Amino acid sequence: MSDTILAALTALSIAPAACVTHAKSISQTAWIDSLGALPSGAVPERYRLLKTMVFKPKTAKTDTPIPLLVITDDATQTSTGAIGAHMKLKELRLAAPELLQSTLGATKDDVSPFSVTKSNASNVRVLLDAAVVSSHVLYAVHANSASETLFVPGAAIARYLEDAGAQIETVDLSTLAAAPAAGKPPAKQAVPKSKSDAKIPEAELIGITVRKDGDFPEWYQQVLRKGDMLDYYDVSGCYILKPLSFYVWECIQHFFDTEIKKIGVQNCYFPLFVSSDVLEKEKDHIEGFAPEVAWVTRAGKSELEKPVAIRPTSETVMYPYYARWIQSHRDLPLKLNQWNSVVRWEFKHPQPFLRTREFLWQEGHTAHLTRAAADEEVLYILELYRRVYEELLALPVVPGVKSEKEKFAGGLYTTTVEGYVPTTGRGIQGGTSHSLGQNFSRMFDIAVQDPKATDETRGTPQGRLFVWQNSWGLSTRTIGVMVMVHGDDKGLVLPPRVASTQVVLVPCGLGVKIAQDVKDGVNEACADIAKQLSDVGLRTHADLRDNYNPGFKFNHWELRGVPLRLEIGPKDLANKTMVAVRRDTGEKTDLEMDSLERTVPALLDAIHKDMYQRADAEFRAHRKVVTNWDEFTKTLNAKNHVIIPWCEEEACEDQIKDRSARTVAEDEAQDERAPSMGAKSLCIPFAQHEYPSIEGKQCPQCGKHAKRWTMFGRSY
Amino acid sequence: MSDTILAALTALSIAPAACVTHAKSISQTAWIDSLGALPSGAVPERYRLLKTMVFKPKTAKTDTPIPLLVITDDATQTSTGAIGAHMKLKELRLAAPELLQSTLGATKDDVSPFSVTKSNASNVRVLLDAAVVSSHVLYAVHANSASETLFVPGAAIARYLEDAGAQIETVDLSTLAAAPAAGKPPAKQAVPKSKSDAKIPEAELIGITVRKDGDFPEWYQQVLRKGDMLDYYDVSGCYILKPLSFYVWECIQHFFDTEIKKIGVQNCYFPLFVSSDVLEKEKDHIEGFAPEVAWVTRAGKSELEKPVAIRPTSETVMYPYYARWIQSHRDLPLKLNQWNSVVRWEFKHPQPFLRTREFLWQEGHTAHLTRAAADEEVLYILELYRRVYEELLALPVVPGVKSEKEKFAGGLYTTTVEGYVPTTGRGIQGGTSHSLGQNFSRMFDIAVQDPKATDETRGTPQGRLFVWQNSWGLSTRTIGVMVMVHGDDKGLVLPPRVASTQVVLVPCGLGVKIAQDVKDGVNEACADIAKQLSDVGLRTHADLRDNYNPGFKFNHWELRGVPLRLEIGPKDLANKTMVAVRRDTGEKTDLEMDSLERTVPALLDAIHKDMYQRADAEFRAHRKVVTNWDEFTKTLNAKNHVIIPWCEEEACEDQIKDRSARTVAEDEAQDERAPSMGAKSLCIPFAQHEYPSIEGKQCPQCGKHAKRWTMFGRSY
């Protein structure tokens, strides 16, 4: 079949870069596989898949339908509604097999632009993506057969179709806005301006198609899904954590669990369900959660007598039992933790890891005899959270205390570690360790006989002591921050300590001319080294698949963020060397085979350290001291956090939020990438010494006496 | 105040065993503490707390109310309804402080039988528990003061009250049935016959008050609650797993997680919620779960457009995504596992660990290219389940395959490990590893191109291959079985490998006459040894509390099942020896201090082995081969499992269930301890070789050709 096409192309002076036959491909994924399975060199190093869809518009019964071929890049999202609106065609549906056969003599699996010939061109209309035509990338195009593929530039496809005499309409498909469904607003606002700028023209076949700094929300979704971290789920606001991301969580669990056990925290499990009586006991506290509480009202076909809530957090679940278990000061401290999931049915736009209706976390709940003991623990835990970010995820955070407005409802004070996402300039709360004081213990009557009570007060209400409580939690949002900060245009970049695969070995330079025993030697060396590195505790994988070429493997593992790639070819084997390629910088180093057990761990450590330092430098560069109000919003808009000498008054905080929101709405387009929201106080950093003396400073917003340097910012 | 009482007792020739003053005790728990805090020898070694409650019956407004003193053992459950019915008094309420003061001159904290005197006896009526009067145990009784306690036998209390001239009614309070609330049946049937037999007369102060073989359900609840494993919760069917039981689960998690990772299983997390469309996709499968599915219909105050279910298991949650992720045979095998909780809103009587509305488990879901690979994994996992029971929990199980009737709905076949609870003679399903065959993959269209497809079938429906799937799960019910089998009349008995404390050190023989430096020496030795044993990986605790005597500590740790106690006194220290006491047998061994690092681990291993062997011998003794029907129910009723040569026909299984149920209903009382339920097939054991040749055998129930030896029994 391809002979006719090749002849037509030759007549147009077009020479395909390659022309291959392969296993029949019934889906785009199978096609990737089939091409990947071909020997090294059979296909170009870099190419993209072409997608050809055939639609039937609504046609009067007596008319012969004229199908519409839509030709675009496989990764380009299309909307039938938008295409229909653009082409002035109604109710586009995928064409039935019979129509495909009668108009183009093709099936849905092998249809391609090359299915259009001079003899059938008048049967169809063609909508060609301008982005394909202008691209310099090679496209894989079926030669009107699911088992044959030609590689040609996009422009060649346009010329072929013109020559065949097709009715062609060329348009940039990514700029066609999604047509609103009747009566419903579009799920997400289209942002035409930035979208096409954001595209990565030379993006790899299976890679990320938009730039991180061009279309960050789309980039984030692609990195998570194509990088195998997460999948979307059919209940809105819920996501599937795939093994790659869950492994990160397991690393965090292992570290944190070990450390809290050192101070006597024990794990336990409280039920998922809460009765409404208990849930609503602490008024201040529940006020914050009530609108988001999910209620079970039915089991099977029976209505429950009393609906039960799903825990949004467990303070009110656990504390009635603390009141029962804590009878004497000898029952203190009580330190319990649980690893579980909680549900907060938010109605805002969900975002994987950052704002989800169910999320995984740990929640610690402890009770102490003295405030001093409780205070000490609050900071011990916060320090562990800082270490999770810095030592595991290579992310800088600013530890501090929350303002009265931002503290945990019902608690005494809240400490926090605050992170930063450079691309958006927004802050993100990383984890919080709360002192609850005696508020909950009074509410739930968790009290003991004061061991220091005098003879007179002993046994009387005056001799009772309400316990001092803490609660602290860290969630899977950690993973979202990690992806947002470290990821790049090629995909995920995983910090070595939480990567389920730290090192991948890829045999290279094994073209068709290389003798089999040499190939075997290289493969064996890779397997041996993988074993050797695994034996010293490095999570290593040798990618010995013989059906993929090295380029495909490089992309595969880069997309998934593997920190270090080791390439070994025949010459390397002979010289007992190899090339190490860092995922974070792309930097290449030659390594001696004999000293890998020393050099590879050192390289991984260096990667961790460098990733942290780059992120830290970036965060520091975006924490700006501001002392007069004129600079405030301007500084904020330049993706900075703003550190001001602050009065710490709640009314002032409200004003700061209002004033910084108003200003930005005037001078900047309002979309989800550059939020118009006002700034809130993120924390009062513990490291006050990093800033000038607060003595005599005034709050730039209200002019009142400033108490401490406080970090404000827009935040997730 | 006690002087008057002592004088009255002396006049009756009653000499209290002890008379102490202590910290004011405002609750029974505080009282235990206060008494425990007294120096060794100040209080008797064994005693129980007396409970005195004062009620006011409904009285005409013009009448002076006559309060009712109810005097009983602290551990005895009382029902105001039943007491009121018995005494013909209406609407008993706890008496107000004013009434207590005006009639007895006492507060609720210090009221006791000794509050009744000759001058006020006519103001009150007394209901005295006959069990207290007849007991030979010493009772701790407040001397009409919350900070003074006398120790007297129950009979002395009766004589004192008679002498004071009180109106006394004596009745065995435990036999007073709970009075049904208006229009409602009692939550639990009272079982008068066995209850009083079941009581342990010399039960320790804080110990279990019923015998395991007397009142098993009550024993089970007491062991769990007093042994600190679990607490009840205010949503029915849900329980709190306290650290002691959660630690067992962590041990199981650690072992199982490590082993499945060896065969390439990866952990992940799928959402808690399921959309109804997805849930109901596999009809056979969902039929079994539908009546128990909990539905979220509301969030905050908003009704959800479409209710979402809480997962009862995750087959239908996960498999739509498997269909998406598995595109090629190179994506196989896919082996995912998750540790989560599932919800099955059962309406049957709940039982901690065994039948709960939410439970923790792991669920593995894997997909394979070939049936052989799937089959192999089914058995690998089942073997791990067997090892969890035998190697961690010291419990024997019978591995086998389920009958068609009992297999997992929608699957191909189910393998299982079956446990046994000797006290009830009931079987319990320990964990199941299912082959799902291709049923779910057809339903969810999880298929790949068959790599062995011929040129003709490749790319056609005939060339597609539906994957072979397994699912397997093990839940926290494991913990329930462990408690039921190993526990004894003193409380929990934990197998050493899952005990959060394996060894407890208790300093002994440090009476008031012992010099302080000797005491210090013994305490230091205990601490040193604890550290030494911890350093070699044994979970060791030195109980150096100076406010409890050794007897109290022994009880405390026995109740909580700590496998090994080491007692060290001054003489032991001098001889460099100590006494080791096994929790499982009570057996004492002298150990040399110098060789503890060898002898203690050996003792723990011996404990594990012996616990397993005893349980195994008991289970084996109750697996009876039966070949004629007459023996079937009789054997079953003697708390046995019955092994018959079985035809394996479903109709026959139904008949066996009916016939074995009918028979027992005739000859045995029907209550929840001796269930009248019929027998079902538990499994067809893999170890067929343990039984005679099946050749020529007939099914004893229907007379048809027998296929395999099959284990039947009543079960949880």
Side-chain angles (χ1 to χ4, degrees):
Chain A
M1 179 127 356
S2 57
D3 291 352
T4 342
I5 299 164
L6 282 173
L9 290 172
T10 307
L12 298 167
S13 307
I14 298 168
C19 176
V20 297
T21 61
H22 47 75
K24 213 173 229 178
S25 311
I26 54 170
S27 71
Q28 299 293 93
T29 323
W31 195 9
I32 294 175
D33 258 18
S34 302
L35 293 174
L38 294 171
S40 246
V43 301
E45 274 224 341
R46 289 162 185 262
Y47 58 87
R48 300 190 50 79
L49 292 191
L50 195 75
K51 177 162 68 176
T52 308
M53 295 168 295
V54 186
F55 296 100
K56 175 193 163 296
K58 194 181 178 183
T59 320
K61 275 189 186 166
T62 48
D63 290 358
T64 311
I66 299 182
L68 175 71
L69 260 75
V70 177
I71 298 167
T72 180
D73 187 290
D74 187 40
T76 302
Q77 298 282 331
T78 53
S79 148
T80 5
I83 291 170
H86 180 79
M87 299 295 288
K88 304 199 169 55
L89 294 172
K90 282 186 192 164
E91 296 182 22
L92 290 180
R93 298 278 180 276
L94 282 175
E98 298 71 28
L99 183 63
L100 267 173
Q101 196 60 49
S102 64
T103 50
L104 291 167
T107 72
K108 79 165 178 47
D109 294 328
D110 46 34
V111 73
S112 86
F114 297 132
S115 307
V116 180
T117 60
K118 286 181 179 166
S119 58
N120 67 20
S122 60
N123 296 346
V124 297
R125 291 176 68 185
V126 175
L127 179 64
L128 183 56
D129 190 346
V132 168
V133 182
S134 64
S135 169
H136 297 293
V137 173
L138 286 174
Y139 274 98
V141 190
H142 275 315
N144 200 25
S145 152
S147 56
E148 286 176 87
T149 301
L150 301 178
F151 294 85
V152 291
I157 298 166
R159 285 183 58 204
Y160 172 89
L161 287 167
E162 280 161 21
D163 182 57
Q167 278 187 291
I168 307 171
E169 166 101 20
T170 306
V171 70
D172 189 338
L173 278 174
S174 66
T175 65
L176 282 188
K184 278 193 188 173
K188 190 178 147 188
Q189 282 189 314
V191 189
K193 188 185 74 74
S194 60
K195 274 251 166 131
S196 59
D197 300 349
K199 256 206 265 177
I200 302 177
E202 298 89 19
E204 292 306 313
L205 180 60
I206 51 175
I208 310 299
T209 62
V210 295
R211 281 191 223 281
K212 183 180 183 182
D213 60 7
D215 184 352
F216 188 61
E218 173 66 21
W219 173 89
Y220 181 60
Q221 293 191 11
Q222 285 197 19
V223 166
L224 291 178
R225 299 180 74 174
K226 295 188 176 183
D228 254 354
M229 290 289 268
L230 169 141
D231 209 341
Y232 282 53
Y233 189 70
D234 77 332
V235 174
S236 169
C238 297
Y239 301 90
I240 300 162
L241 301 197
K242 294 178 79 171
L244 199 64
S245 62
F246 197 80
Y247 189 85
V248 177
W249 188 237
E250 287 181 294
C251 291
I252 293 173
Q253 286 187 306
H254 179 73
F255 167 81
F256 188 74
D257 208 63
T258 306
E259 294 299 321
I260 58 176
K261 280 178 176 163
K262 288 182 187 166
I263 58 162
V265 177
Q266 297 179 298
N267 285 327
C268 65
Y269 189 78
F270 276 74
L272 176 68
F273 298 117
V274 203
S275 71
S276 55
D277 298 347
V278 165
L279 185 70
E280 286 154 9
K281 181 132 187 177
E282 217 289 1
K283 298 289 173 200
D284 281 352
H285 171 67
I286 196 55
E287 204 170 279
F289 293 108
E292 298 170 1
V293 170
W295 291 93
V296 174
T297 63
R298 184 152 51 88
K301 294 187 171 171
S302 319
E303 294 295 325
L304 298 190
E305 262 186 53
K306 271 193 151 186
V308 295
I310 301 181
R311 60 175 167 233
T313 177
S314 301
E315 277 76 8
T316 59
V317 173
M318 295 169 85
Y319 299 166
Y321 298 91
Y322 280 40
R324 198 182 286 178
W325 298 339
I326 297 171
Q327 293 286 335
S328 149
H329 68 91
R330 279 185 286 269
D331 299 324
L332 295 173
L334 179 65
K335 301 183 181 184
L336 299 184
N337 177 66
Q338 46 180 347
W339 296 95
N340 60 17
S341 76
V342 289
V343 171
R344 298 175 190 175
W345 203 270
E346 302 214 38
F347 292 94
K348 287 185 213 162
H349 191 65
Q351 190 146 26
F353 295 118
L354 265 52
R355 190 188 295 128
T356 58
R357 285 180 171 170
E358 182 195 7
F359 59 86
L360 299 178
W361 75 346
Q362 60 64 222
E363 50 176 332
H365 295 269
T366 63
H368 302 262
L369 183 64
T370 65
R371 173 161 180 171
D375 284 348
E376 187 186 346
E377 186 196 79
V378 165
L379 293 182
Y380 178 91
I381 296 295
L382 195 74
E383 174 66 4
L384 293 182
Y385 291 161
R386 186 192 62 75
R387 291 178 61 196
V388 165
Y389 276 95
E390 298 192 2
E391 297 176 13
L392 297 182
L393 306 177
L395 291 170
V397 286
V398 173
V401 65
K402 286 281 183 189
S403 71
E404 281 301 300
K405 183 182 165 73
E406 294 292 331
K407 78 175 186 187
F408 184 64
L412 183 61
Y413 65 89
T414 289
T415 65
T416 178
V417 290
E418 294 287 322
Y420 172 72
V421 178
T423 313
T424 58
R426 284 164 78 176
I428 183 155
Q429 182 175 298
T432 43
S433 178
H434 312 291
S435 160
L436 304 180
Q438 296 177 306
N439 188 15
F440 284 86
S441 64
R442 283 180 201 279
M443 195 65 64
F444 288 92
D445 196 25
I446 314 174
V448 297
Q449 189 67 40
D450 186 347
K452 290 185 186 153
T454 62
D455 283 349
E456 276 167 20
T457 59
R458 190 170 299 125
T460 71
Q462 291 76 43
R464 294 185 82 208
L465 191 149
F466 290 101
V467 303
W468 293 86
Q469 291 180 269
N470 296 334
S471 72
W472 23 271
L474 185 79
S475 79
T476 38
R477 104 183 324 213
T478 42
I479 301 171
V481 189
M482 177 194 82
V483 171
M484 286 186 161
V485 174
H486 294 309
D488 65 20
D489 286 350
K490 286 179 172 179
L492 279 176
V493 180
L494 291 174
R497 294 178 194 159
V498 297
S500 60
T501 302
Q502 298 172 304
V503 182
V504 65
L505 284 121
V506 179
C508 293
L510 305 181
V512 279
K513 292 179 190 161
I514 303 295
Q516 190 58 43
D517 61 333
V518 176
K519 287 184 185 173
D520 293 347
V522 170
N523 280 324
E524 273 164 32
C526 286
D528 287 349
I529 292 166
K531 169 140 191 356
Q532 182 191 342
L533 293 177
S534 297
D535 287 347
V536 297
L538 299 178
R539 298 182 291 271
T540 314
H541 175 71
D543 186 348
L544 304 181
R545 294 177 288 181
D546 58 3
N547 54 321
Y548 292 112
N549 59 43
F552 181 93
K553 293 179 185 177
F554 295 173
N555 295 334
H556 179 92
W557 298 110
E558 281 175 356
L559 195 54
R560 286 161 182 77
V562 173
L564 196 63
R565 179 173 80 229
L566 301 179
E567 303 176 3
I568 303 180
K571 279 184 197 160
D572 299 305
L573 185 58
N575 298 333
K576 303 198 79 179
T577 61
M578 70 189 66
V579 180
V581 186
R582 287 173 60 153
R583 174 66 184 88
D584 63 328
T585 57
E587 199 182 323
K588 296 188 177 191
T589 322
D590 290 318
L591 297 183
E592 305 284 335
M593 272 190 200
D594 292 340
S595 53
L596 290 181
E597 294 177 10
R598 187 173 48 76
T599 53
V600 172
L603 251 176
L604 290 173
D605 275 347
I607 292 172
H608 175 90
K609 206 170 127 195
D610 293 351
M611 286 175 72
Y612 174 76
Q613 283 181 347
R614 277 193 303 273
D616 188 47
E618 182 112 34
F619 192 1
R620 283 183 190 278
H622 288 88
R623 296 203 290 269
K624 303 279 194 193
V625 169
V626 163
T627 51
N628 71 72
W629 180 254
D630 291 347
E631 298 294 319
F632 190 95
T633 311
K634 215 177 292 174
T635 309
L636 202 64
N637 290 349
K639 297 187 178 174
N640 292 303
H641 283 1
V642 180
I643 315 259
I644 60 167
W646 189 42
C647 63
E648 298 186 23
E649 293 195 4
E650 197 161 330
C652 179
E653 179 156 11
D654 290 339
Q655 288 230 307
I656 289 176
K657 192 167 183 180
D658 284 353
R659 291 178 69 186
S660 56
R662 257 202 319 276
T663 317
V664 68
E666 281 160 17
D667 66 2
E668 192 173 355
Q670 178 170 346
D671 67 41
E672 54 183 43
R673 268 154 303 287
S676 63
M677 65 173 76
K680 58 185 187 183
S681 75
L682 303 175
C683 75
I684 301 163
F686 289 135
Q688 290 286 313
H689 63 270
E690 293 188 2
Y691 307 99
S693 164
I694 198 81
E695 207 67 45
K697 293 274 189 307
Q698 289 178 336
C699 173
Q701 200 280 135
C702 67
K704 288 195 186 143
H705 169 69
K707 291 185 179 161
R708 282 175 289 187
W709 293 95
T710 304
M711 182 167 78
F712 282 78
R714 302 209 170 92
S715 76
Y716 283 93
Chain B
M1 180 131 350
S2 58
D3 291 352
T4 344
I5 298 163
L6 282 173
L9 289 172
T10 307
L12 297 168
S13 308
I14 298 169
C19 175
V20 295
T21 61
H22 48 74
K24 213 173 228 178
S25 312
I26 53 169
S27 71
Q28 302 290 93
T29 323
W31 194 9
I32 294 174
D33 258 17
S34 302
L35 294 174
L38 295 171
S40 244
V43 300
E45 275 224 339
R46 288 160 187 263
Y47 58 87
R48 301 189 50 78
L49 292 192
L50 196 76
K51 176 163 69 177
T52 307
M53 296 168 293
V54 186
F55 295 101
K56 176 192 161 297
K58 192 180 180 184
T59 320
K61 276 188 185 166
T62 48
D63 290 358
T64 312
I66 298 181
L68 175 72
L69 260 75
V70 176
I71 298 166
T72 181
D73 188 290
D74 187 41
T76 302
Q77 298 282 331
T78 52
S79 149
T80 4
I83 291 170
H86 180 78
M87 299 296 286
K88 303 198 170 56
L89 295 171
K90 281 186 193 164
E91 297 182 23
L92 291 179
R93 296 279 180 275
L94 280 176
E98 298 72 27
L99 183 64
L100 266 172
Q101 195 60 50
S102 64
T103 50
L104 292 167
T107 72
K108 79 164 176 51
D109 293 329
D110 46 34
V111 73
S112 85
F114 296 132
S115 307
V116 180
T117 61
K118 285 182 180 165
S119 59
N120 68 19
S122 60
N123 296 345
V124 298
R125 290 175 70 184
V126 175
L127 180 64
L128 183 56
D129 190 345
V132 167
V133 181
S134 64
S135 168
H136 297 294
V137 173
L138 286 174
Y139 273 99
V141 190
H142 275 317
N144 200 26
S145 154
S147 56
E148 287 176 86
T149 301
L150 302 178
F151 293 85
V152 292
I157 298 166
R159 284 182 59 202
Y160 172 88
L161 287 167
E162 279 162 21
D163 182 56
Q167 285 188 338
I168 308 171
E169 166 101 20
T170 307
V171 70
D172 189 338
L173 278 174
S174 67
T175 64
L176 283 187
K184 278 193 188 173
K188 189 179 147 187
Q189 281 189 315
V191 189
K193 188 182 75 71
S194 61
K195 272 250 167 135
S196 59
D197 300 349
K199 257 207 263 177
I200 301 178
E202 297 89 20
E204 291 307 313
L205 181 60
I206 52 175
I208 310 299
T209 62
V210 294
R211 281 190 222 283
K212 183 180 183 184
D213 60 7
D215 185 353
F216 188 61
E218 173 66 21
W219 172 89
Y220 182 60
Q221 293 190 10
Q222 285 198 19
V223 166
L224 292 178
R225 299 180 73 173
K226 297 188 174 183
D228 255 353
M229 291 287 271
L230 168 143
D231 208 342
Y232 282 53
Y233 189 71
D234 79 331
V235 174
S236 169
C238 297
Y239 302 90
I240 300 161
L241 301 197
K242 296 179 78 172
L244 198 63
S245 61
F246 197 80
Y247 188 85
V248 177
W249 189 235
E250 287 181 295
C251 292
I252 293 173
Q253 286 186 307
H254 179 74
F255 166 82
F256 188 75
D257 209 62
T258 305
E259 294 298 322
I260 59 176
K261 280 177 176 161
K262 289 182 187 165
I263 58 163
V265 177
Q266 296 178 297
N267 285 327
C268 65
Y269 189 77
F270 275 74
L272 177 67
F273 298 117
V274 203
S275 71
S276 54
D277 298 347
V278 165
L279 185 70
E280 286 154 10
K281 181 131 186 177
E282 217 290 0
K283 297 289 174 200
D284 281 352
H285 171 68
I286 196 56
E287 204 171 280
F289 293 109
E292 298 171 0
V293 169
W295 292 92
V296 173
T297 63
R298 184 151 52 87
K301 293 189 172 169
S302 320
E303 295 293 323
L304 299 189
E305 261 185 54
K306 269 194 153 187
V308 294
I310 302 181
R311 61 175 165 232
T313 177
S314 301
E315 277 77 8
T316 59
V317 173
M318 296 169 85
Y319 299 166
Y321 299 92
Y322 279 40
R324 199 182 286 177
W325 298 340
I326 297 170
Q327 293 286 334
S328 149
H329 68 90
R330 279 185 286 268
D331 299 325
L332 295 173
L334 179 64
K335 301 183 182 185
L336 300 183
N337 178 64
Q338 47 180 348
W339 296 94
N340 60 16
S341 75
V342 289
V343 171
R344 298 176 189 174
W345 203 271
E346 301 215 38
F347 291 94
K348 288 186 214 164
H349 190 65
Q351 190 147 27
F353 295 116
L354 265 52
R355 189 189 294 129
T356 59
R357 285 180 171 170
E358 182 195 6
F359 59 86
L360 300 176
W361 75 345
Q362 59 64 222
E363 50 175 333
H365 296 269
T366 62
H368 303 261
L369 184 64
T370 64
R371 173 161 180 172
D375 284 347
E376 188 186 346
E377 185 196 80
V378 165
L379 293 182
Y380 178 91
I381 296 296
L382 195 75
E383 173 67 4
L384 293 182
Y385 290 161
R386 186 192 64 75
R387 290 178 60 195
V388 165
Y389 277 95
E390 297 192 3
E391 297 177 13
L392 297 181
L393 306 177
L395 291 171
V397 286
V398 173
V401 65
K402 287 280 185 189
S403 70
E404 280 301 300
K405 183 182 166 74
E406 293 293 330
K407 78 175 186 188
F408 185 63
L412 184 61
Y413 64 89
T414 289
T415 66
T416 179
V417 289
E418 294 287 321
Y420 173 72
V421 178
T423 314
T424 58
R426 284 164 77 177
I428 184 155
Q429 182 175 299
T432 44
S433 179
H434 312 291
S435 160
L436 304 179
Q438 296 175 308
N439 188 15
F440 284 85
S441 64
R442 283 179 200 280
M443 196 65 64
F444 288 92
D445 196 26
I446 314 174
V448 297
Q449 189 67 41
D450 186 348
K452 289 185 185 153
T454 61
D455 284 348
E456 277 167 21
T457 59
R458 190 171 297 125
T460 69
Q462 290 75 43
R464 295 184 81 210
L465 190 148
F466 290 102
V467 303
W468 293 86
Q469 290 181 271
N470 296 334
S471 73
W472 23 271
L474 185 78
S475 79
T476 39
R477 105 183 322 212
T478 43
I479 302 172
V481 189
M482 178 195 81
V483 171
M484 286 186 160
V485 174
H486 293 309
D488 65 20
D489 287 349
K490 287 179 171 178
L492 279 176
V493 181
L494 291 175
R497 293 177 194 159
V498 297
S500 60
T501 303
Q502 297 172 304
V503 182
V504 64
L505 283 121
V506 180
C508 294
L510 305 182
V512 279
K513 293 179 190 164
I514 303 294
Q516 190 58 41
D517 62 333
V518 176
K519 287 184 185 174
D520 293 346
V522 169
N523 280 324
E524 275 163 32
C526 285
D528 287 350
I529 292 167
K531 169 136 192 357
Q532 182 191 342
L533 293 177
S534 296
D535 287 348
V536 297
L538 299 178
R539 298 183 291 271
T540 313
H541 175 70
D543 186 349
L544 304 182
R545 294 178 287 181
D546 58 4
N547 55 321
Y548 292 112
N549 59 43
F552 182 93
K553 293 178 184 177
F554 295 173
N555 294 334
H556 179 92
W557 297 110
E558 281 176 355
L559 195 54
R560 286 161 182 78
V562 173
L564 196 64
R565 180 173 81 229
L566 301 179
E567 304 176 3
I568 305 180
K571 279 184 196 160
D572 297 306
L573 185 58
N575 298 334
K576 305 198 76 178
T577 60
M578 69 189 65
V579 180
V581 186
R582 288 172 61 153
R583 174 65 184 88
D584 63 327
T585 57
E587 199 182 323
K588 296 187 178 192
T589 322
D590 290 317
L591 296 184
E592 304 285 335
M593 272 189 199
D594 292 340
S595 54
L596 290 180
E597 293 176 10
R598 188 173 47 76
T599 52
V600 173
L603 251 177
L604 291 173
D605 275 348
I607 292 172
H608 175 89
K609 206 170 128 195
D610 293 351
M611 286 174 72
Y612 175 75
Q613 283 181 347
R614 276 193 304 274
D616 188 47
E618 182 112 34
F619 193 1
R620 284 183 190 278
H622 289 87
R623 296 202 290 271
K624 303 280 194 193
V625 169
V626 164
T627 51
N628 72 72
W629 180 255
D630 291 348
E631 297 295 318
F632 189 95
T633 312
K634 213 178 293 174
T635 308
L636 201 64
N637 290 350
K639 297 185 177 174
N640 293 303
H641 282 1
V642 179
I643 316 259
I644 60 166
W646 189 43
C647 62
E648 297 185 25
E649 294 195 3
E650 199 162 329
C652 179
E653 178 155 11
D654 290 338
Q655 287 230 309
I656 289 175
K657 193 167 183 179
D658 284 353
R659 290 177 71 185
S660 57
R662 257 204 318 278
T663 317
V664 67
E666 281 161 15
D667 66 3
E668 193 174 354
Q670 178 169 345
D671 68 40
E672 55 182 43
R673 268 155 305 287
S676 64
M677 65 174 77
K680 59 185 186 182
S681 76
L682 302 174
C683 76
I684 301 163
F686 290 135
Q688 291 285 313
H689 62 270
E690 293 188 3
Y691 306 99
S693 165
I694 198 81
E695 206 68 45
K697 293 275 190 305
Q698 290 179 336
C699 172
Q701 199 280 135
C702 68
K704 286 193 187 146
H705 169 68
K707 289 184 180 161
R708 282 176 290 186
W709 293 96
T710 304
M711 183 165 77
F712 282 78
R714 303 209 169 93
S715 78
Y716 282 92

